[in-house]
Amino acid sequence: MASEDLTATFVSIGLSEQKAKETVKNEQLSSSLKQAIEQARKCGVQSIDKEMGKLLYNIATKLKTQIKIHQAMIVEYITKQKITTEIQLNAAMDYLLHHPLPPVDKIKFETECGVGVTISPDQVEAAVEEVVQKYKDELIEKRYRFNTGLIMSEARNKLKFADGKIIKNEVDMQILDLLGPKTDADLAKPVKQKTGVKGSESSKSLKSTESSKSLKDEGSKPTESFVGEDGEVKSFMDIMGAALKFHKTGENYKTEGYVITPKTMELLKEHMRITGGKVHSRFPPEPNGILHIGHAKAINFNFGYARAHDGNCYLRYDDTNPEKEEEKFFKAILEMVQWLGYKPFKVTHASDNFDRLYELAVELIKRGHAYICHMKSEDIKGFNPPDSPWRDRPIEESLQLFEDMKNGKITEGDATLRMKVTLEEGKKDPVAYRIKFTPHHRTGDKWCIYPTYDYTHCLCDSIENITHSLCTKEFQSRRSSYYWLCNVLDLYCPVQWEYGRLNLNYAVVSKRKIGKLITEGHVRDWDDPRLFTLTALRRRGFPPEAINLFCAKVGVTMAQTVLDPSMLEACVRDVLNVTAPRAMAVLEPLKVTINNFPADHSGSLAIPNFPADESKGSHTIPFTSTVFIERSDFKEKAEKNYKRWSADQPVGLRHAGYVLSIDKINKDSEGNITDLVASCTKTTETDKPKGFIHWVSDPIVCEVRQYERLFFHKSPEDPSEVPGGFLTDINPNSMSVVTNAYVDVSVKGAKHFDKFQFERVGFFSVDTDTHHSKMIFNRTVTLKEDPGKK
């Protein structure tokens, strides 16, 4: 039918011309609506009014694939005026989703969707009156500011198939009768309540003045949306909330695209018996490399969703490729899952099921759904390879050849087991088993044939009774084969859900390419802080809570997400700002001698761990006549708007309560400043300095490593951006080392990965290279985003 004719047909059933044209553009929707209209006409209805047309349009847009077989029956009920409202239609579709297989129990079906049910005006009046009486006192108190949707909802629940408009009119009428017409007070805009900050007004002490001048450096905020009432950083699911809308356990068949077979409901019933109705998810990494930031999203989705629903999540190693697997990767993967705050329900391996997978492969051949093929791997790559000349070989022949493969009688590369199915992307007959004469780290020499991901993934999910198989978007093209394989073997079939991958600019996460960076000496190992592997981020000092927060902010989306690292770094700053205790550190020390240091001073100061919240404790540091400041915090001559120390401008010392003024500037023979001599006076309210600087006294000498981006370009792997390849895009200044930084003694004894904010400098973490004779810190992030990083 021509598009003009289709548009006219859709207009004739009540669609506006614009909506009709939009519907025609959607090939799938227009085909479904056209079919519904033709089915209505077969029922003897030639003229379809607007109300009936609306119901037919709802069928075309809402009827799920798995109950499409019942469309003609639903249309017949509509044409016979047995289903006349959208409420009834939704109830009909819901009943069929719960009972998808024919034959339909017509008596139960009609009961569930209200066929023959009539609601009288008296029934509506009585139901609304009952609810209004329940909320009468609150209605009188709040009058027209009361949420009448509550009354509507409860009245609708009492009269499931009543017309919503009639109920609303009755609610409005009864409320008017109770409260009378709206008064001027009812019509006035509500006054917004001012929310004050908890606690007393800020003190005007010198200490508060000093702190307020530097709060902008620390990025403190009075409230943090990512911090819970308990003061802890919220979990991934606390932030995501209801955004993850997946099917309920046991209701797999309600999911769009799910395939229902005569055994589906029986298998689901047994599945529910085994799982107790709990959510079961899994995180299935390949143990051939270290996890990266993209895996963090997968870990949070799988483990977070299970935790939020009091369910279980497996850590399942997809160890089907013995050539690339190493024990260190198994350990590192588990360690990273635990570091992000999750504990696997069970740690399993695809290899646990090798015997069962082999039995199922034999069964697949016996059922005529798989065959042994001798085409070379290079001949079946891509999307349009030639059909296999062995596709229709006798079942017994394939069974014998498959056994020969298992027994090592066929040379590697000379035979594969292929499945008779076509993926959504057009790829035909994917490989299920291939020959590899390589010992397996867990099964040794028992096997010389190994299953592929396409074969193993869904079957292991089925064996482990996974309810929600959450995958990245590239596996969407394998969803039909996932369902097909479970169903042709009459196995319980989980539901596969997809989400978009998470990638970062200025990063390389390919295992092969990171391996090259390591072997060629550009980075030190998988945990080099310039990489975006999870071990590298941990070593750099990124808190796991910040990574989880970042994943939650990215959210659930089908689109592949490529973000700037600055968004991740912002999450790191947010979390460290409320979790990392403060210390003071000087990276380029300049010695200052205070020649009038108070003789009665105790020689130490108590410094708050968090200046914005002194209830979080304090630490003690020395304060003597010799202090060290940052060299950049002193200039001989102050420029306009310069607020730090100069020869003619005093400066305050953070937390000390003293102001320094220059007495003498000592220089070497080349005119470079070597040290300063100063006098101190107590800070007073009437004589405050323009600025306060950090300092250290009797410090610990430490090494500090500072990091910049490893690559110059956003997409170092993109030939259009970097024609010479990612190895030519490396920033030679991506790491700088300060070998003799001075840090206050409060950090002494800190453990690997302990985190601090060095006031006015940045956030830092204790590196794993730290040893008893020298502490080493990694700069995690600066205090503020560098505006030059675009």
Side-chain angles (χ1 to χ4, degrees):
M1 187 181 290
S3 60
E4 294 82 1
D5 295 335
L6 262 182
T7 302
T9 299
F10 296 160
V11 169
S12 72
I13 66 167
L15 268 64
S16 67
E17 188 168 349
Q18 182 181 350
K19 192 169 186 178
K21 287 179 177 178
E22 289 172 358
T23 302
V24 169
K25 289 178 184 177
N26 186 326
E27 190 176 335
Q28 186 176 349
L29 175 58
S30 62
S31 175
S32 296
L33 183 56
K34 179 172 171 280
Q35 183 187 41
I37 294 168
E38 289 170 351
Q39 287 169 334
R41 286 173 177 163
K42 284 180 182 177
C43 294
V45 177
Q46 296 307 313
S47 178
I48 298 171
D49 61 26
K50 189 172 183 178
E51 289 304 313
M52 187 181 292
K54 186 178 177 182
L55 295 177
L56 295 180
Y57 185 82
N58 278 335
I59 286 177
T61 54
K62 294 181 180 179
L63 193 68
K64 292 187 180 291
T65 308
Q66 51 268 47
I67 56 171
K68 197 82 172 170
I69 55 172
H70 301 300
Q71 178 171 310
M73 182 192 78
I74 301 173
V75 171
E76 184 180 358
Y77 269 81
I78 291 171
T79 59
K80 290 183 176 179
Q81 300 289 301
K82 290 183 176 182
I83 293 177
T84 58
T85 66
E86 193 173 339
I87 295 171
Q88 282 186 288
L89 178 58
N90 289 338
M93 291 190 289
D94 188 59
Y95 175 83
L96 292 172
L97 270 175
H98 282 86
H99 307 84
L101 300 176
V104 175
D105 185 326
K106 294 288 184 71
I107 294 174
K108 287 184 178 179
F109 172 76
E110 291 183 1
T111 301
E112 288 298 314
C113 58
V115 172
V117 174
T118 56
I119 308 293
S120 68
D122 289 344
Q123 286 176 290
V124 174
E125 183 181 357
V128 172
E129 186 176 358
E130 185 181 341
V131 181
V132 167
Q133 284 300 313
K134 177 181 174 181
Y135 293 103
K136 183 177 179 181
D137 292 342
E138 199 175 345
L139 269 164
I140 291 171
E141 179 189 349
K142 295 182 178 179
R143 291 184 59 79
Y144 287 98
R145 301 198 195 286
F146 181 83
N147 179 14
T148 56
L150 198 60
I151 297 174
M152 280 286 299
S153 176
E154 290 194 24
R156 289 285 293 270
N157 289 337
K158 291 176 180 293
L159 302 171
K160 182 178 177 182
F161 298 108
D163 188 309
K165 290 179 182 177
I166 294 174
I167 291 179
K168 184 171 189 315
N169 289 338
E170 184 64 33
V171 168
D172 291 344
M173 189 170 68
Q174 290 199 26
I175 290 176
L176 179 64
D177 187 54
L178 176 68
L179 303 178
K182 288 184 179 181
T183 64
D184 290 342
D186 294 325
L187 295 170
K189 288 184 178 180
V191 179
K192 289 185 179 179
Q193 295 289 326
K194 290 185 178 180
T195 56
V197 179
K198 202 173 179 181
S200 61
E201 290 184 14
S202 59
S203 165
K204 295 202 175 184
S205 66
L206 297 176
K207 203 165 190 180
S208 296
T209 303
E210 173 193 324
S211 296
S212 66
K213 284 179 178 286
S214 55
L215 281 183
K216 60 183 179 182
D217 289 336
E218 296 172 3
S220 299
K221 297 174 186 177
T223 55
E224 305 286 359
S225 61
F226 58 88
V227 177
E229 291 181 3
D230 58 359
E232 298 295 318
V233 177
K234 292 178 182 177
S235 71
F236 173 81
M237 283 303 299
D238 285 338
I239 296 169
M240 288 298 299
L244 297 179
K245 295 180 180 178
F246 301 132
H247 69 283
K248 293 180 181 178
T249 56
E251 295 187 354
N252 303 30
Y253 52 85
K254 285 189 173 185
T255 310
E256 187 66 44
Y258 190 81
V259 179
I260 298 173
T261 71
K263 290 199 172 184
T264 294
M265 306 313 281
E266 178 189 339
L267 291 166
L268 269 174
K269 186 177 179 181
E270 176 62 11
H271 158 76
M272 290 293 283
R273 184 191 68 77
I274 294 169
T275 63
K278 278 193 169 188
V279 166
H280 281 68
S281 58
R282 83 289 170 272
F283 173 57
E286 294 178 74
N288 59 2
I290 298 294
L291 302 182
H292 55 72
I293 186 66
H295 291 111
K297 182 177 178 181
I299 290 169
N300 273 289
F301 270 91
N302 284 285
F303 282 95
Y305 185 75
R307 178 187 285 178
H309 293 83
D310 193 29
N312 301 316
C313 184
Y314 289 84
L315 168 58
R316 183 205 306 145
Y317 294 110
D318 179 30
D319 57 343
T320 56
N321 189 353
E323 294 174 332
K324 297 181 179 180
E325 293 153 7
E326 294 183 41
E327 185 61 28
K328 69 175 181 179
F329 296 138
F330 285 87
K331 291 179 179 177
I333 288 169
L334 176 58
E335 191 178 345
M336 287 300 97
V337 168
Q338 293 170 334
W339 176 64
L340 287 177
Y342 298 107
K343 182 181 179 181
F345 167 58
K346 288 180 182 177
V347 177
T348 60
H349 303 73
S351 58
D352 296 339
N353 302 305
F354 275 178
D355 288 295
R356 179 62 176 148
L357 292 171
Y358 177 78
E359 291 168 4
L360 291 171
V362 171
E363 184 62 29
L364 197 65
I365 297 170
K366 287 179 178 178
R367 296 187 180 202
H369 297 301
Y371 63 95
I372 299 299
C373 176
H374 302 288
M375 294 176 72
K376 299 296 182 183
S377 60
E378 57 268 22
D379 295 330
I380 60 175
K381 283 182 178 177
F383 294 100
N384 293 299
D387 288 347
S388 171
W390 293 279
R391 197 173 199 269
D392 297 318
R393 77 187 322 160
I395 287 173
E396 289 304 319
E397 192 176 305
S398 281
L399 285 171
Q400 183 58 57
L401 286 167
F402 190 48
E403 187 174 350
D404 290 345
M405 284 172 62
K406 179 176 80 80
N407 294 332
K409 294 180 179 180
I410 301 177
T411 304
E412 188 170 329
D414 283 357
T416 57
L417 178 68
R418 295 176 68 183
M419 299 177 282
K420 294 182 179 179
V421 64
T422 302
L423 306 180
E424 284 95 330
E425 61 193 13
K427 190 172 182 179
K428 197 172 183 181
D429 294 1
V431 172
Y433 268 87
R434 73 278 202 210
I435 302 168
K436 284 184 181 288
F437 290 106
T438 306
H440 191 274
H441 73 287
R442 298 187 76 242
T443 61
D445 293 325
K446 180 178 178 180
W447 298 94
C448 62
I449 56 170
Y450 293 99
T452 61
Y453 182 90
D454 284 329
Y455 177 77
T456 308
H457 173 54
C458 60
L459 296 181
C460 284
D461 280 356
S462 178
I463 291 166
E464 291 179 349
N465 274 287
I466 299 304
T467 57
H468 297 74
S469 180
L470 310 179
C471 308
T472 46
K473 190 181 177 183
E474 65 262 34
F475 294 104
Q476 184 176 10
S477 63
R478 291 171 165 86
R479 193 200 300 169
S480 63
S481 67
Y482 182 109
Y483 293 160
W484 171 85
L485 187 52
C486 290
N487 289 328
V488 296
L489 289 169
D490 291 324
L491 300 174
Y492 159 71
C493 185
V495 179
Q496 177 174 307
W497 293 92
E498 301 90 17
Y499 56 87
R501 285 176 69 95
L502 169 61
N503 292 317
L504 290 180
N505 291 322
Y506 303 99
V508 165
V509 295
S510 155
K511 295 161 188 171
R512 181 180 62 82
K513 290 177 180 176
I514 291 176
K516 263 194 170 183
L517 289 171
I518 295 169
T519 56
E520 296 192 14
H522 300 293
V523 297
R524 287 167 290 176
D525 208 335
W526 292 88
D527 66 348
D528 188 294
R530 290 165 290 182
L531 296 173
F532 284 92
T533 61
L534 293 184
T535 50
L537 296 178
R538 177 179 63 171
R539 185 172 181 181
R540 185 160 172 170
F542 283 33
E545 300 89 347
I547 293 173
N548 296 344
L549 172 64
F550 173 64
C551 292
K553 284 188 171 184
V554 171
V556 187
T557 173
M558 274 294 288
Q560 178 167 305
T561 311
V562 183
L563 297 170
D564 194 274
S566 59
M567 182 176 174
L568 172 58
E569 290 168 358
C571 293
V572 172
R573 286 189 191 90
D574 285 343
V575 171
L576 289 179
N577 192 54
V578 296
T579 59
R582 277 40 169 179
M584 290 193 286
V586 174
L587 304 191
E588 292 184 77
L590 178 61
K591 181 181 174 183
V592 179
T593 302
I594 305 172
N595 59 21
N596 66 336
F597 189 81
D600 59 348
H601 197 283
S602 66
S604 64
L605 292 171
I607 309 296
N609 292 332
F610 294 86
D613 184 359
E614 296 190 14
S615 67
K616 290 185 176 182
S618 63
H619 57 274
T620 300
I621 63 170
F623 179 41
T624 69
S625 60
T626 301
V627 298
F628 296 89
I629 67 167
E630 202 72 63
R631 186 170 289 274
S632 60
D633 279 338
F634 178 79
K635 288 185 177 181
E636 283 193 75
K637 187 174 182 180
E639 301 145 353
K640 189 179 180 181
N641 299 323
Y642 180 75
K643 294 183 178 180
R644 285 166 285 165
W645 199 11
S646 69
D648 55 359
Q649 181 170 283
V651 74
L653 291 178
R654 288 278 287 146
H655 307 295
Y658 286 92
V659 175
L660 297 185
S661 299
I662 282 292
D663 287 343
K664 185 180 180 183
I665 301 171
N666 294 321
K667 298 181 181 182
D668 61 18
S669 58
E670 295 179 0
N672 299 312
I673 297 173
T674 57
D675 65 284
L676 305 173
V677 180
S679 298
C680 70
T681 56
K682 282 197 172 184
T683 312
T684 64
E685 182 64 31
T686 56
D687 188 22
K688 290 181 294 186
K690 284 187 177 181
F692 289 83
I693 61 174
H694 63 283
W695 55 275
V696 292
S697 185
D698 288 343
I700 301 171
V701 179
C702 302
E703 179 179 309
V704 170
R705 298 170 180 172
Q706 301 181 93
Y707 301 98
E708 301 295 339
R709 287 175 179 154
L710 183 59
F711 299 101
F712 288 117
H713 291 83
K714 279 187 175 183
S715 306
E717 298 169 278
D718 185 350
S720 64
E721 275 195 53
V722 187
F726 74 102
L727 291 176
T728 67
D729 196 45
I730 292 170
N731 175 9
N733 301 313
S734 58
M735 182 176 81
S736 60
V737 179
V738 179
T739 54
N740 291 299
Y742 290 179
V743 186
D744 76 44
V745 296
S746 67
V747 303
K748 191 174 182 179
K751 303 182 297 296
H752 292 170
F753 308 125
D754 280 355
K755 299 159 185 64
F756 299 90
Q757 183 195 113
F758 291 168
E759 296 193 43
R760 300 181 62 240
V761 181
F763 293 101
F764 292 79
S765 177
V766 181
D767 187 73
T768 51
D769 285 341
T770 290
H771 47 83
H772 68 279
S773 62
K774 192 162 193 179
M775 294 192 74
I776 299 171
F777 287 91
N778 292 317
R779 186 177 69 189
T780 306
V781 287
T782 55
L783 289 173
K784 294 181 180 180
E785 181 184 352
D786 183 351
K789 285 186 179 179
K790 296 296 181 186

